Amino acid sequence: MGSCDLKLYYFNLQARGELIRLILAAADRTYEDIRFDINQWSEYKPKMILGQCPVLELTDGTQIPQSMAIARYVARETGLAGINNLEAAKIDAVVDTQRDINETFYGKVFFEQDEIRKAEELEKFLNETLVKHVENLGKLKKAYSQNESYFVGNKLSWADLFVFQSIKALLKAIPQVKGKLGDQFKQLIDAIHSNEKLKAYLDSRPKTDF
Amino acid sequence: MSRYKLYFFNGRGRAEVSRLIFAIAGQKYEDIRYEGSEWPSYKAEMPLRQMPVLEFEGTKLPQSLSIARFLAKQFNLAGRDNFEQAKVDAVADTISDLLGKFIPPRFEKDKTKKQELMKKFFDEKVPKHLQNLDVLGKLYGNDGPFFVDNHLTWADLLFYDILETLLGIDENCLNNYPWLKQNRAEVEKQPRIAEYLKSRPKTPH
């Protein structure tokens, strides 16, 4: 495949694009990382298949919308989706579990406008939801992992990248999360930071608000 | 002793798409259904204390869509290569977005608020997502009635299932989308699906 046979269209943000970029970085896969600001969106929107982004576009022009469908596709293409269907399913289960939490956090806390409700929901999230989630991820890791750092089997998968990215985004949004995570993710985070290709990407990626 | 065990409540809910996959694949499985009152005593056995859960050769998998995708791949209903699978996933995720918007009105306890939310859901959110699904079906469907490359995949089954629930509330919601209507008709016609729909337990949800 040629060097620019893959194009990723997304805002100049991490948000729903970053997981895809991390997978491509871990695989050292070249692609065109098309980033635009919010005021350029009206130019790009009509070109996107469902008027949303991220979108992955192949050389023949076919577009795939939906950040997770794109992530899963590039993970499979680059060997980061497990060694067989069952491993792929375990990876999906970890990803979906993390997604549930992300949706709860962004839906009920981050985007809540009412200050009092926001504070209540944040309290609930920190003391109940997040605690349970950390436990749940621990249970899945125990059931599916065959090594110290990664969630499934013996090597890095896109589930590890998704949990890593989600935790980082959460820490940035509410630093008080740090105390609730304990040591659960330390080995994962260390492993990702010592991965040469990921370290190079993480050091050089644009700094954005989120 | 079945290789596959599916654990859920006695209802369609988030398990039904997987039951449809088993049905069309002609695959036997243990269809374990718990009543609400007995669920608390089984909760601790499930990895995340939720259902549905698929137990496959002793390993338990949570998360309804991951289960469905796994089963679909086991039975060649997920798309024939990685790229087809990505298109199937994109359709499934769009359907899932629609389901996500349905949850707040569906579970709202206050009757007045529920009515408001349902109205807004059917007036605004449903047309937007159905329009998107119409676009994807026509773009990926290769001139056939199914969402991706002219053969039935789990995306068609998921769409069938979610719309069954929505049509139960607003029987007109697909009227402006003949392609989507035809897609559901094609799913219903499949002999194993028709048989399953006739014989499955009748439950309110």
Side-chain angles (χ1 to χ4, degrees), chain B residues 91-128:
Chain B
V91 175
D93 282 356
T94 304
I95 298 166
S96 182
D97 281 353
L98 175 59
L99 179 62
K101 296 282 188 280
F102 179 56
I103 300 296
R106 162 77 176 83
F107 290 103
E108 176 58 53
K109 300 211 153 70
D110 178 300
K111 283 197 159 74
T112 312
K113 184 133 203 259
K114 186 182 175 106
Q115 219 172 5
E116 241 177 75
L117 291 174
M118 271 298 177
K119 182 169 195 312
K120 190 164 186 212
F121 172 70
F122 278 97
D123 286 347
E124 295 168 29
K125 309 266 155 72
V126 169
K128 177 188 166 177

Side-chain angles (χ1 to χ4, degrees), chain B residues 41-177:
Chain B
S41 57
Y42 290 101
K43 208 169 175 173
E45 291 172 18
M46 304 300 149
L48 305 183
R49 302 164 68 84
Q50 335 174 145
M51 300 193 289
V53 160
L54 179 77
E55 191 176 317
F56 173 68
E57 296 182 346
T59 302
K60 288 194 163 79
L61 285 171
Q63 295 289 359
S64 60
L65 295 185
S66 296
I67 293 168
R69 186 179 303 104
F70 169 67
L71 292 173
K73 285 199 286 196
Q74 291 289 92
F75 311 130
N76 295 316
L77 290 163
R80 291 167 299 192
D81 59 26
N82 190 16
F83 190 43
E84 264 193 32
Q85 288 174 15
K87 294 179 209 173
V88 172
D89 281 347
V91 175
D93 282 356
T94 304
I95 298 166
S96 182
D97 281 353
L98 175 59
L99 179 62
K101 296 282 188 280
F102 179 56
I103 300 296
R106 162 77 176 83
F107 290 103
E108 176 58 53
K109 300 211 153 70
D110 178 300
K111 283 197 159 74
T112 312
K113 184 133 203 259
K114 186 182 175 106
Q115 219 172 5
E116 241 177 75
L117 291 174
M118 271 298 177
K119 182 169 195 312
K120 190 164 186 212
F121 172 70
F122 278 97
D123 286 347
E124 295 168 29
K125 309 266 155 72
V126 169
K128 177 188 166 177
H129 287 87
L130 290 183
Q131 182 59 34
N132 282 351
L133 288 166
D134 201 59
V135 166
L136 293 181
K138 286 168 178 165
L139 202 68
Y140 295 160
N142 215 355
D143 293 328
F146 302 118
F147 276 106
V148 177
D149 285 323
N150 208 6
H151 57 273
L152 189 148
T153 65
W154 71 282
D156 302 292
L157 300 176
L158 182 65
F159 182 67
Y160 184 84
D161 179 49
I162 302 302
L163 264 293
E164 178 163 13
T165 301
L166 299 188
L167 287 163
I169 302 171
D170 177 358
E171 61 188 357
N172 295 315
C173 65
L174 271 189
N175 285 355
N176 293 331
Y177 305 96

